[in-house]
Amino acid sequence: MPVFRKIQPPLRVAALVGGTVATFELGILCQVFGLDRTGDGLPAFDFAVCGERPGPVPTSSGFDVHVPHGPDRIISADVVAVPAWPDLDAPLPAVLGAALRAAHERGALLLSICSGAFPLAAAGLLDGRRATTHWQTAALFRQRHPRVDLVEDVLYVDEGQIVTGAGAAAGIDACLHVVRRLYGSATANALARRMVVPAHREGGQAQYVEHPVPPTAGFAGVLDWAVEHLDEPLTVDRLAARANMSGRTFARHFRATTGTTPLRWLLEQRLQRAELLLETTDLTVDAVAGRAGFGSADTLRHHFSAQRGTTPRAHRVAFGSPPDPHGAPCVSPQQVLNRC
């Protein structure tokens, strides 16, 4: 059973669609936030689909969907999620731009998937910030929104109050990242298992623009073995030997198939292991560091600060098992977002 802090009332999530609905990307939001998985020990969400006005909206797949809510649900939401935005040539309706700005000013977390970054930029919310979108629309995005620092080779960008996801399935990565921020790694990992997707993918869109080098036989097995031996000294040469490759060949294949380097991948796996141990055990920070392969608490603290912007102790306080055996302390959604 995953451990998470109970948020009272359930986090209010509003999915905003435009004049045409992108079915796959909206489906991602429905999968993450729109299903009741409280029976599996996962958090509850108050999920709503919103548009310029309630009523039927055509999809890019040839059928209509009924959008039950207007902009009022955007203004009152804790998280406003914008799936892909097929109508890139249509101006953003003024009422939606105003609702997005009002939600942002009130402190809501904004999330976009794929070309959903376009309406956020059109509302003026991405000026001076880093953001990403689908690689196919990157040139158009740069042309229309030159004040945004567009990052093209990532799966998502976290700018604190605004998270932008890259193309299509990268929206799953962005959504799980938001769940991890709000509820911790144990809950995000449990949700990923329920959805049968990786809890965290390394690399970026560049690995999908061109055809990646196919993994050699046994390559995935090496990664599984590494995850089981994170508490041991792991070098590129040691991993390469298990794959029957030279270190240079292994590193080249690794980057082609994962979009990152072996050492960067190992660091992320160790951080995730440390987060899970901090959330689900009462081990000391030194013991967590040893089991996660960092060797010492000082090394763990260094990487936590550099990669997560926090400390192991603060992570445990935010997401760890509550001392009260009768349940986790309740906090408001805004307190959670402010803490993140």
Side-chain angles (χ1 to χ4, degrees), residues 39-63:
D40 296 329
L42 292 167
F45 300 102
D46 179 5
F47 180 73
V49 180
C50 314
E52 184 177 4
R53 62 183 64 86
V57 178
T59 71
S60 54
S61 301
F63 58 90

Side-chain angles (χ1 to χ4, degrees), residues 152-230:
E152 298 185 42
D153 58 349
V154 295
L155 296 176
Y156 57 83
V157 170
D158 186 338
E159 280 285 277
Q161 197 182 340
I162 301 179
V163 176
T164 51
I172 299 174
D173 301 277
C175 287
L176 289 174
H177 173 71
V178 168
V179 172
R180 187 177 297 108
R181 271 185 52 179
L182 298 176
Y183 296 95
S185 289
T187 297
N189 293 349
L191 178 57
R193 286 194 298 273
R194 186 70 172 77
M195 295 174 60
V196 198
V197 296
H200 184 277
R201 288 193 297 167
E202 282 292 326
Q205 296 189 81
Q207 61 181 310
Y208 304 109
V209 176
E210 298 178 355
H211 293 295
V213 178
T216 59
F219 190 85
V222 174
L223 303 189
D224 292 339
W225 177 87
V227 170
E228 294 174 359
H229 296 79
L230 291 175

